[in-house]
Amino acid sequence: MLEHTNKLFHAELETTRSLFLQMGGLVESMVLDSMRALTEGQLQWVDRVRAHEKQVNQFEVDIDERIGQLIARNQPTAVDLRLLLSISKMLTDMERCGDEAEKIAKVARRLHEADSAYEPVVELRHMADAVASMIRAALDAFAREDPVAAAQVVRNDKDVDKEWKATLRHIITYMIEDPRTISRSIDLIFIARALERIGDHAKNMAERVIYMVRGDDVRHTGVSNTERLARGEPAQPRD
């Protein structure tokens, strides 16, 4: 009977992992589709993002309920409990990535409806591709239980932060040179900021993967120590 219960528990655990990966795939496509809405001005991308956002919210509710039931009905080992708690934390970050993608799609709609000849002031596709890749890499690290790959996502967030700051400087310069672009430029700042937040959420998920596999909480330890702990090495004191 105990063996049967154990098999059932691990089957449910695997289903929960699988559902989270499906949710992540949807969110990654939402980020890319929201940028297509911006660059192509075709509103079907906005509708697609909004439909996916509803699905993502349902995934969050369903997976959260599953995790609660798995913990309540079983006595998970420390490793299984870390997995369940990690998914629970990552769920929130994943859902927020979806929220940010929906915001981008809404702003894209507004920009194109206000000005049919809209041209981007600044190139944001590279930043969008970078954060979508971070989500994909965090999911891949989670699926393979690979803390070293997760640490690379944490490092990649530094590049996204630099790109966000450079974009902000670029747009502010543009607004100063031509005040007629202020309204449009503020919308672009909003989009760039949303992309930067998606990068932050992907980084948070990657940190959770390291905790799940290694049992080390790498938040606030710095990138170098995150990489050391991911490899199973001791952290170095920070200055």
Side-chain angles (χ1 to χ4, degrees), residues 21-101:
L21 289 167
Q22 287 176 49
M23 177 189 182
L26 261 186
V27 169
E28 183 196 340
S29 72
M30 285 172 69
V31 175
L32 296 172
D33 288 346
S34 68
M35 288 308 294
R36 286 192 189 105
L38 178 69
T39 56
E40 296 173 18
Q42 293 177 8
L43 297 186
Q44 78 255 29
W45 295 118
V46 178
D47 296 335
R48 186 171 144 123
V49 169
R50 297 190 74 178
H52 281 170
E53 207 264 338
K54 289 184 176 65
Q55 288 177 264
V56 165
N57 288 346
Q58 192 58 53
F59 266 121
E60 184 189 24
V61 172
D62 293 347
I63 295 169
D64 218 17
E65 189 177 339
R66 277 177 167 276
I67 290 169
Q69 287 174 354
L70 280 169
I71 292 172
R73 291 175 184 170
N74 303 273
Q75 291 181 315
T77 62
V79 172
D80 289 337
L81 188 59
R82 275 211 310 268
L83 169 63
L84 288 166
L85 292 176
S86 295
I87 295 174
S88 180
K89 292 282 188 183
M90 287 192 285
L91 258 185
T92 304
D93 280 299
M94 192 64 84
E95 190 273 336
R96 286 180 182 161
C97 286
D99 284 348
E100 296 295 340

Coordinates of all heavy atoms in Angstrom, one line a residue, residues 21-101:
L21 N 6.0 23.5 -16.7 CA 6.7 23.7 -17.9 C 5.8 24.2 -19.1 O 6.2 25.0 -19.9 CB 7.4 22.4 -18.3 CG 8.6 22.0 -17.4 CD1 9.1 20.6 -17.7 CD2 9.8 23.0 -17.6
Q22 N 4.6 23.6 -19.1 CA 3.6 24.1 -20.2 C 3.3 25.5 -20.0 O 3.2 26.3 -20.9 CB 2.4 23.2 -20.1 CG 2.5 21.8 -20.6 CD 1.2 21.0 -20.4 OE1 0.1 21.5 -20.7 NE2 1.3 19.9 -19.8
M23 N 3.1 25.9 -18.7 CA 2.8 27.3 -18.4 C 3.9 28.2 -18.8 O 3.7 29.3 -19.4 CB 2.5 27.4 -16.9 CG 2.3 28.8 -16.4 SD 2.3 28.8 -14.5 CE 1.9 30.5 -14.2
G24 N 5.1 27.8 -18.6 CA 6.3 28.5 -18.9 C 6.4 28.7 -20.4 O 6.8 29.8 -20.9
G25 N 6.1 27.7 -21.2 CA 6.2 27.8 -22.7 C 5.2 28.8 -23.2 O 5.5 29.6 -24.1
L26 N 4.0 28.8 -22.6 CA 3.0 29.8 -22.9 C 3.5 31.3 -22.7 O 3.3 32.2 -23.5 CB 1.7 29.6 -22.1 CG 0.5 28.9 -22.8 CD1 -0.7 28.9 -21.8 CD2 0.2 29.4 -24.1
V27 N 4.1 31.4 -21.5 CA 4.6 32.8 -21.1 C 5.7 33.2 -22.0 O 5.7 34.4 -22.5 CB 5.0 32.8 -19.6 CG1 5.8 34.1 -19.3 CG2 3.8 32.6 -18.7
E28 N 6.6 32.3 -22.4 CA 7.6 32.7 -23.3 C 7.1 33.2 -24.6 O 7.5 34.2 -25.2 CB 8.6 31.5 -23.6 CG 9.7 31.8 -24.5 CD 10.4 30.6 -25.0 OE1 10.2 29.5 -24.4 OE2 11.1 30.7 -26.0
S29 N 6.0 32.5 -25.1 CA 5.4 32.9 -26.4 C 4.7 34.2 -26.3 O 4.6 35.0 -27.2 CB 4.5 31.8 -26.9 OG 3.3 31.7 -26.1
M30 N 4.1 34.5 -25.1 CA 3.5 35.8 -24.8 C 4.4 36.9 -25.0 O 4.1 38.0 -25.5 CB 2.8 35.8 -23.4 CG 1.5 35.0 -23.3 SD 1.0 34.9 -21.6 CE 0.5 36.6 -21.3
V31 N 5.6 36.8 -24.4 CA 6.7 37.8 -24.5 C 7.0 38.1 -26.0 O 7.0 39.3 -26.4 CB 7.9 37.4 -23.7 CG1 9.0 38.5 -23.9 CG2 7.6 37.3 -22.2
L32 N 7.2 37.1 -26.7 CA 7.6 37.3 -28.2 C 6.4 37.8 -29.0 O 6.6 38.7 -29.8 CB 8.1 36.0 -28.7 CG 9.4 35.4 -28.1 CD1 9.7 34.0 -28.6 CD2 10.6 36.3 -28.4
D33 N 5.2 37.3 -28.7 CA 4.0 37.8 -29.4 C 3.7 39.3 -29.1 O 3.3 40.0 -29.9 CB 2.8 37.0 -29.1 CG 2.9 35.6 -29.7 OD1 3.7 35.4 -30.6 OD2 2.1 34.7 -29.3
S34 N 4.0 39.7 -27.8 CA 3.7 41.1 -27.5 C 4.6 42.0 -28.2 O 4.3 43.1 -28.6 CB 3.8 41.3 -26.0 OG 5.2 41.2 -25.5
M35 N 5.9 41.6 -28.5 CA 6.8 42.4 -29.3 C 6.4 42.4 -30.8 O 6.7 43.4 -31.5 CB 8.2 41.9 -29.1 CG 8.8 42.2 -27.7 SD 8.7 44.0 -27.2 CE 9.7 44.7 -28.4
R36 N 5.9 41.3 -31.2 CA 5.4 41.3 -32.6 C 4.2 42.3 -32.8 O 4.1 43.0 -33.8 CB 4.9 39.9 -33.0 CG 5.9 38.8 -33.2 CD 5.4 37.6 -33.8 NE 6.4 36.5 -33.8 CZ 6.4 35.5 -33.0 NH1 5.5 35.3 -32.1 NH2 7.4 34.6 -33.1
A37 N 3.4 42.4 -31.7 CA 2.3 43.4 -31.8 C 2.9 44.8 -31.9 O 2.4 45.6 -32.6 CB 1.5 43.2 -30.5
L38 N 4.0 45.0 -31.2 CA 4.7 46.3 -31.2 C 5.3 46.6 -32.6 O 5.1 47.7 -33.2 CB 5.7 46.4 -30.1 CG 6.5 47.8 -30.1 CD1 5.6 48.9 -29.7 CD2 7.7 47.7 -29.2
T39 N 6.0 45.6 -33.1 CA 6.8 45.9 -34.3 C 6.0 45.7 -35.6 O 6.3 46.4 -36.6 CB 8.1 44.9 -34.4 OG1 7.6 43.6 -34.3 CG2 9.0 45.2 -33.2
E40 N 5.0 44.9 -35.6 CA 4.2 44.6 -36.8 C 2.9 45.4 -36.8 O 2.3 45.6 -37.9 CB 4.0 43.1 -37.0 CG 5.3 42.3 -37.2 CD 5.0 40.8 -37.2 OE1 3.8 40.4 -37.4 OE2 6.0 40.1 -37.0
G41 N 2.4 45.8 -35.6 CA 1.2 46.5 -35.5 C -0.1 45.7 -35.9 O -1.1 46.2 -36.1
Q42 N 0.1 44.4 -35.8 CA -1.1 43.5 -36.2 C -1.8 43.1 -34.9 O -1.1 42.4 -34.0 CB -0.6 42.3 -37.0 CG -0.1 42.7 -38.4 CD 0.4 41.5 -39.1 OE1 0.3 40.3 -38.7 NE2 1.0 41.7 -40.3
L43 N -3.0 43.5 -34.7 CA -3.7 43.3 -33.5 C -4.1 41.9 -33.1 O -4.4 41.6 -32.0 CB -5.0 44.2 -33.4 CG -4.7 45.7 -33.6 CD1 -6.0 46.5 -33.4 CD2 -3.6 46.2 -32.6
Q44 N -3.9 40.9 -34.1 CA -4.2 39.5 -33.7 C -3.2 39.1 -32.6 O -3.5 38.2 -31.8 CB -4.2 38.6 -34.9 CG -2.8 38.2 -35.4 CD -2.5 39.0 -36.7 OE1 -3.0 40.1 -36.9 NE2 -1.7 38.4 -37.6
W45 N -2.0 39.7 -32.7 CA -1.0 39.3 -31.6 C -1.4 39.7 -30.3 O -1.2 39.0 -29.3 CB 0.4 39.9 -32.0 CG 1.0 39.4 -33.2 CD1 1.3 40.1 -34.4 CD2 1.4 38.0 -33.5 NE1 1.8 39.3 -35.3 CE2 1.9 38.0 -34.9 CE3 1.3 36.8 -32.8 CZ2 2.3 36.8 -35.5 CZ3 1.8 35.7 -33.4 CH2 2.3 35.7 -34.7
V46 N -2.0 40.9 -30.2 CA -2.6 41.4 -28.9 C -3.6 40.5 -28.4 O -3.6 40.1 -27.2 CB -3.1 42.8 -29.0 CG1 -3.7 43.3 -27.7 CG2 -2.1 43.8 -29.5
D47 N -4.6 40.1 -29.3 CA -5.6 39.2 -28.9 C -5.1 37.8 -28.4 O -5.6 37.2 -27.4 CB -6.6 38.9 -30.0 CG -7.3 40.2 -30.4 OD1 -7.5 41.1 -29.6 OD2 -7.7 40.4 -31.6
R48 N -4.0 37.4 -29.1 CA -3.4 36.1 -28.7 C -2.8 36.2 -27.3 O -2.9 35.2 -26.5 CB -2.4 35.7 -29.8 CG -1.7 34.4 -29.7 CD -0.9 34.1 -30.9 NE 0.3 33.4 -30.6 CZ 0.6 32.2 -31.1 NH1 -0.2 31.7 -32.0 NH2 1.7 31.6 -30.8
V49 N -2.1 37.3 -27.1 CA -1.5 37.4 -25.8 C -2.5 37.5 -24.7 O -2.3 36.8 -23.6 CB -0.6 38.7 -25.7 CG1 -0.2 39.1 -24.3 CG2 0.6 38.6 -26.6
R50 N -3.6 38.2 -24.9 CA -4.6 38.3 -23.9 C -5.3 36.9 -23.6 O -5.6 36.6 -22.5 CB -5.7 39.3 -24.3 CG -5.0 40.7 -24.4 CD -6.1 41.8 -24.6 NE -6.7 42.1 -23.3 CZ -7.7 43.0 -23.1 NH1 -8.0 43.8 -24.1 NH2 -8.2 43.2 -22.0
A51 N -5.5 36.1 -24.7 CA -6.1 34.8 -24.5 C -5.1 33.9 -23.7 O -5.6 33.2 -22.8 CB -6.4 34.2 -25.9
H52 N -3.9 34.0 -24.0 CA -2.9 33.2 -23.3 C -2.7 33.6 -21.8 O -2.5 32.8 -21.0 CB -1.5 33.3 -24.0 CG -1.4 32.4 -25.2 ND1 -0.3 32.5 -26.1 CD2 -2.2 31.5 -25.7 CE1 -0.5 31.6 -27.0 NE2 -1.6 31.0 -26.8
E53 N -2.9 34.9 -21.6 CA -2.8 35.4 -20.2 C -3.9 34.7 -19.3 O -3.6 34.4 -18.2 CB -3.0 36.9 -20.2 CG -2.3 37.6 -19.0 CD -3.2 37.9 -17.8 OE1 -4.4 38.0 -18.0 OE2 -2.7 38.0 -16.7
K54 N -5.1 34.5 -19.9 CA -6.2 33.9 -19.1 C -5.8 32.4 -18.8 O -6.0 31.9 -17.7 CB -7.5 33.9 -19.9 CG -8.1 35.3 -20.0 CD -9.5 35.2 -20.7 CE -10.2 36.6 -20.7 NZ -9.5 37.6 -21.4
Q55 N -5.2 31.8 -19.8 CA -4.7 30.4 -19.6 C -3.6 30.3 -18.6 O -3.6 29.4 -17.7 CB -4.2 29.8 -20.9 CG -5.2 29.5 -22.0 CD -4.6 29.0 -23.3 OE1 -4.3 29.8 -24.2 NE2 -4.2 27.8 -23.4
V56 N -2.7 31.3 -18.6 CA -1.6 31.3 -17.6 C -2.2 31.5 -16.2 O -1.7 30.8 -15.2 CB -0.6 32.4 -17.9 CG1 0.3 32.7 -16.8 CG2 0.2 32.1 -19.2
N57 N -3.2 32.3 -16.0 CA -3.8 32.5 -14.7 C -4.4 31.2 -14.2 O -4.4 30.9 -13.0 CB -4.8 33.6 -14.8 CG -4.2 35.0 -14.9 OD1 -3.0 35.2 -14.7 ND2 -5.0 36.0 -15.3
Q58 N -5.1 30.5 -15.2 CA -5.7 29.2 -14.8 C -4.7 28.2 -14.4 O -4.8 27.4 -13.4 CB -6.6 28.7 -15.9 CG -7.5 27.6 -15.5 CD -8.4 27.9 -14.4 OE1 -9.1 28.9 -14.5 NE2 -8.4 27.1 -13.3
F59 N -3.5 28.2 -15.1 CA -2.4 27.3 -14.8 C -2.0 27.6 -13.3 O -1.7 26.7 -12.5 CB -1.2 27.5 -15.7 CG -1.2 26.5 -16.9 CD1 -1.2 27.0 -18.2 CD2 -1.1 25.2 -16.7 CE1 -1.1 26.1 -19.3 CE2 -1.0 24.3 -17.8 CZ -1.0 24.8 -19.1
E60 N -1.8 28.9 -13.0 CA -1.3 29.2 -11.7 C -2.3 28.7 -10.6 O -1.8 28.1 -9.6 CB -1.2 30.8 -11.6 CG -0.6 31.2 -10.2 CD -0.7 32.7 -10.0 OE1 -1.6 33.3 -10.5 OE2 0.1 33.2 -9.2
V61 N -3.6 28.9 -10.8 CA -4.6 28.4 -9.8 C -4.5 26.9 -9.7 O -4.5 26.4 -8.6 CB -6.0 28.9 -10.2 CG1 -7.0 28.2 -9.3 CG2 -6.1 30.4 -10.1
D62 N -4.5 26.2 -10.8 CA -4.5 24.7 -10.8 C -3.3 24.2 -10.2 O -3.3 23.2 -9.3 CB -4.7 24.2 -12.2 CG -6.0 24.5 -12.8 OD1 -6.9 24.9 -12.1 OD2 -6.2 24.4 -14.1
I63 N -2.1 24.7 -10.5 CA -0.8 24.2 -10.0 C -0.7 24.4 -8.5 O -0.3 23.6 -7.7 CB 0.4 24.7 -10.8 CG1 0.3 24.3 -12.3 CG2 1.7 24.3 -10.2 CD1 1.3 25.0 -13.2
D64 N -1.1 25.6 -8.1 CA -1.1 26.0 -6.7 C -1.9 25.1 -5.9 O -1.5 24.6 -4.8 CB -1.6 27.4 -6.6 CG -0.9 28.2 -5.5 OD1 0.3 27.8 -5.2 OD2 -1.4 29.3 -5.1
E65 N -3.1 24.7 -6.4 CA -4.0 23.8 -5.7 C -3.4 22.4 -5.6 O -3.4 21.8 -4.5 CB -5.3 23.7 -6.4 CG -6.4 23.0 -5.6 CD -7.7 23.0 -6.4 OE1 -8.0 23.8 -7.2 OE2 -8.6 22.1 -6.1
R66 N -2.8 22.0 -6.7 CA -2.1 20.7 -6.7 C -1.0 20.6 -5.6 O -0.9 19.6 -4.9 CB -1.5 20.4 -8.1 CG -2.4 19.9 -9.1 CD -1.7 19.7 -10.4 NE -2.5 19.0 -11.3 CZ -2.5 17.6 -11.4 NH1 -1.8 16.9 -10.6 NH2 -3.3 17.0 -12.3
I67 N -0.2 21.7 -5.6 CA 0.9 21.7 -4.6 C 0.4 21.6 -3.2 O 0.9 20.8 -2.4 CB 1.8 23.0 -4.8 CG1 2.6 22.9 -6.1 CG2 2.8 23.1 -3.6 CD1 3.2 24.2 -6.6
G68 N -0.6 22.4 -2.9 CA -1.2 22.3 -1.5 C -1.7 20.9 -1.2 O -1.5 20.5 -0.1
Q69 N -2.4 20.3 -2.1 CA -2.9 18.9 -1.9 C -1.8 17.9 -1.7 O -1.8 17.0 -0.8 CB -3.8 18.5 -3.0 CG -5.1 19.2 -3.0 CD -6.0 18.9 -4.3 OE1 -5.5 18.2 -5.2 NE2 -7.2 19.4 -4.3
L70 N -0.7 18.0 -2.5 CA 0.4 17.1 -2.4 C 1.1 17.2 -1.1 O 1.5 16.2 -0.5 CB 1.4 17.4 -3.6 CG 1.0 16.8 -4.9 CD1 2.0 17.3 -6.0 CD2 1.1 15.3 -4.9
I71 N 1.3 18.4 -0.6 CA 1.9 18.6 0.7 C 1.0 18.1 1.9 O 1.4 17.4 2.8 CB 2.3 20.1 0.9 CG1 3.4 20.4 -0.1 CG2 2.8 20.3 2.4 CD1 3.8 21.9 -0.1
A72 N -0.3 18.4 1.7 CA -1.3 18.1 2.8 C -1.5 16.6 2.9 O -1.6 16.0 4.0 CB -2.6 18.8 2.5
R73 N -1.5 15.9 1.8 CA -1.9 14.4 1.8 C -0.7 13.5 1.9 O -0.9 12.3 2.2 CB -2.6 14.1 0.4 CG -4.0 14.7 0.3 CD -4.5 14.4 -1.1 NE -5.8 15.0 -1.4 CZ -6.4 15.1 -2.5 NH1 -5.8 14.5 -3.6 NH2 -7.5 15.7 -2.7
N74 N 0.5 14.0 1.8 CA 1.7 13.2 1.8 C 2.7 13.8 2.8 O 2.5 14.9 3.3 CB 2.4 13.1 0.5 CG 1.4 12.6 -0.6 OD1 1.3 11.4 -0.8 ND2 0.8 13.4 -1.3
Q75 N 3.7 13.1 3.1 CA 4.8 13.7 3.9 C 6.1 13.7 3.0 O 6.9 12.8 3.1 CB 5.0 12.8 5.2 CG 3.9 12.9 6.2 CD 4.1 12.1 7.4 OE1 4.6 11.0 7.3 NE2 3.9 12.7 8.5
P76 N 6.2 14.7 2.2 CA 7.3 14.7 1.2 C 8.6 14.7 1.9 O 8.8 15.3 3.0 CB 7.1 16.0 0.4 CG 5.7 16.5 0.7 CD 5.4 15.9 2.1
T77 N 9.6 14.0 1.3 CA 11.0 14.1 1.7 C 11.5 15.5 1.6 O 10.9 16.3 0.9 CB 11.9 13.1 0.9 OG1 11.8 13.5 -0.4 CG2 11.4 11.7 1.0
A78 N 12.6 15.8 2.1 CA 13.2 17.1 2.0 C 13.4 17.5 0.6 O 13.1 18.7 0.2 CB 14.5 17.2 2.8
V79 N 13.9 16.6 -0.3 CA 14.1 16.9 -1.7 C 12.8 17.2 -2.4 O 12.7 18.2 -3.1 CB 14.8 15.7 -2.4 CG1 14.9 15.9 -3.9 CG2 16.2 15.6 -1.8
D80 N 11.8 16.4 -2.2 CA 10.5 16.6 -2.8 C 9.8 17.9 -2.3 O 9.2 18.6 -3.1 CB 9.6 15.4 -2.6 CG 10.0 14.1 -3.4 OD1 10.7 14.3 -4.4 OD2 9.7 13.0 -3.0
L81 N 10.0 18.1 -1.1 CA 9.4 19.4 -0.5 C 10.1 20.6 -1.1 O 9.4 21.6 -1.4 CB 9.5 19.4 1.0 CG 8.8 20.5 1.8 CD1 7.3 20.5 1.5 CD2 9.1 20.4 3.3
R82 N 11.4 20.5 -1.3 CA 12.1 21.7 -1.9 C 11.6 21.9 -3.3 O 11.4 23.0 -3.8 CB 13.6 21.4 -2.0 CG 14.3 21.8 -0.7 CD 15.8 22.3 -1.0 NE 16.6 21.4 -1.8 CZ 17.3 20.4 -1.4 NH1 17.4 20.2 -0.1 NH2 18.1 19.7 -2.2
L83 N 11.3 20.8 -4.1 CA 10.8 20.9 -5.4 C 9.4 21.6 -5.4 O 9.2 22.5 -6.2 CB 10.7 19.5 -6.0 CG 9.9 19.4 -7.4 CD1 10.6 20.2 -8.5 CD2 9.7 17.9 -7.8
L84 N 8.6 21.1 -4.5 CA 7.2 21.7 -4.5 C 7.2 23.2 -4.1 O 6.5 24.0 -4.7 CB 6.3 20.9 -3.5 CG 5.9 19.5 -4.0 CD1 5.4 18.7 -2.8 CD2 4.9 19.6 -5.1
L85 N 8.1 23.5 -3.1 CA 8.2 24.9 -2.6 C 8.8 25.8 -3.7 O 8.4 26.9 -3.9 CB 9.0 25.0 -1.3 CG 8.3 24.4 -0.1 CD1 9.3 24.4 1.1 CD2 7.0 25.0 0.2
S86 N 9.7 25.2 -4.5 CA 10.4 26.0 -5.6 C 9.4 26.2 -6.7 O 9.3 27.4 -7.2 CB 11.6 25.2 -6.1 OG 12.6 25.1 -5.1
I87 N 8.6 25.2 -7.0 CA 7.6 25.5 -8.1 C 6.6 26.5 -7.6 O 6.2 27.4 -8.4 CB 6.8 24.1 -8.4 CG1 7.8 23.2 -9.1 CG2 5.7 24.4 -9.4 CD1 7.2 21.8 -9.4
S88 N 6.2 26.4 -6.3 CA 5.2 27.4 -5.8 C 5.7 28.8 -5.9 O 5.0 29.7 -6.3 CB 5.0 27.0 -4.3 OG 4.0 27.9 -3.8
K89 N 7.0 29.0 -5.6 CA 7.6 30.3 -5.7 C 7.7 30.8 -7.2 O 7.5 31.9 -7.5 CB 9.0 30.4 -5.0 CG 9.0 30.2 -3.5 CD 8.6 31.5 -2.8 CE 8.7 31.4 -1.3 NZ 8.3 32.6 -0.6
M90 N 8.2 29.8 -8.0 CA 8.4 30.2 -9.4 C 7.1 30.5 -10.1 O 7.0 31.3 -11.1 CB 9.1 29.0 -10.1 CG 10.6 28.9 -9.8 SD 11.5 27.8 -10.8 CE 10.9 26.2 -10.2
L91 N 6.0 29.8 -9.6 CA 4.6 30.1 -10.2 C 4.3 31.6 -10.2 O 3.8 32.2 -11.2 CB 3.6 29.4 -9.3 CG 3.0 28.1 -9.8 CD1 1.9 27.7 -8.8 CD2 2.4 28.2 -11.2
T92 N 4.6 32.3 -9.1 CA 4.3 33.7 -8.9 C 5.1 34.5 -9.9 O 4.6 35.4 -10.6 CB 4.6 34.2 -7.5 OG1 3.9 33.3 -6.6 CG2 4.3 35.6 -7.3
D93 N 6.4 34.2 -10.1 CA 7.3 34.9 -11.0 C 6.8 34.7 -12.4 O 6.8 35.6 -13.3 CB 8.7 34.5 -10.8 CG 9.4 35.2 -9.7 OD1 9.5 36.4 -9.7 OD2 9.8 34.5 -8.7
M94 N 6.4 33.4 -12.7 CA 6.0 33.1 -14.1 C 4.7 33.9 -14.5 O 4.6 34.4 -15.6 CB 5.8 31.6 -14.2 CG 5.6 31.1 -15.7 SD 7.1 31.5 -16.7 CE 8.1 30.0 -16.3
E95 N 3.8 33.9 -13.5 CA 2.5 34.6 -13.8 C 2.7 36.1 -14.0 O 2.1 36.7 -14.8 CB 1.5 34.3 -12.6 CG 0.1 34.8 -12.8 CD -0.1 36.2 -12.4 OE1 0.6 36.8 -11.6 OE2 -1.1 36.8 -13.0
R96 N 3.7 36.6 -13.2 CA 4.0 38.1 -13.4 C 4.7 38.4 -14.7 O 4.5 39.4 -15.3 CB 4.9 38.5 -12.2 CG 4.0 38.6 -10.9 CD 4.8 39.1 -9.7 NE 3.9 39.1 -8.6 CZ 4.3 39.2 -7.3 NH1 5.6 39.1 -7.0 NH2 3.4 39.2 -6.3
C97 N 5.5 37.4 -15.2 CA 6.0 37.6 -16.6 C 4.9 37.7 -17.6 O 4.9 38.5 -18.5 CB 6.9 36.4 -16.9 SG 8.5 36.3 -16.1
G98 N 3.9 36.9 -17.4 CA 2.7 36.9 -18.3 C 2.0 38.2 -18.2 O 1.5 38.8 -19.2
D99 N 1.8 38.8 -16.9 CA 1.2 40.1 -16.7 C 2.0 41.2 -17.5 O 1.4 42.0 -18.1 CB 1.2 40.4 -15.2 CG 0.1 39.7 -14.5 OD1 -0.8 39.0 -15.1 OD2 0.1 39.7 -13.2
E100 N 3.3 41.1 -17.4 CA 4.1 42.2 -18.0 C 4.0 42.1 -19.6 O 3.9 43.1 -20.3 CB 5.6 42.0 -17.6 CG 5.9 42.2 -16.2 CD 5.6 43.7 -15.7 OE1 5.6 44.6 -16.5 OE2 5.5 43.9 -14.5
A101 N 3.9 40.8 -20.1 CA 3.8 40.6 -21.5 C 2.4 41.2 -22.0 O 2.3 41.8 -23.0 CB 3.8 39.2 -21.9

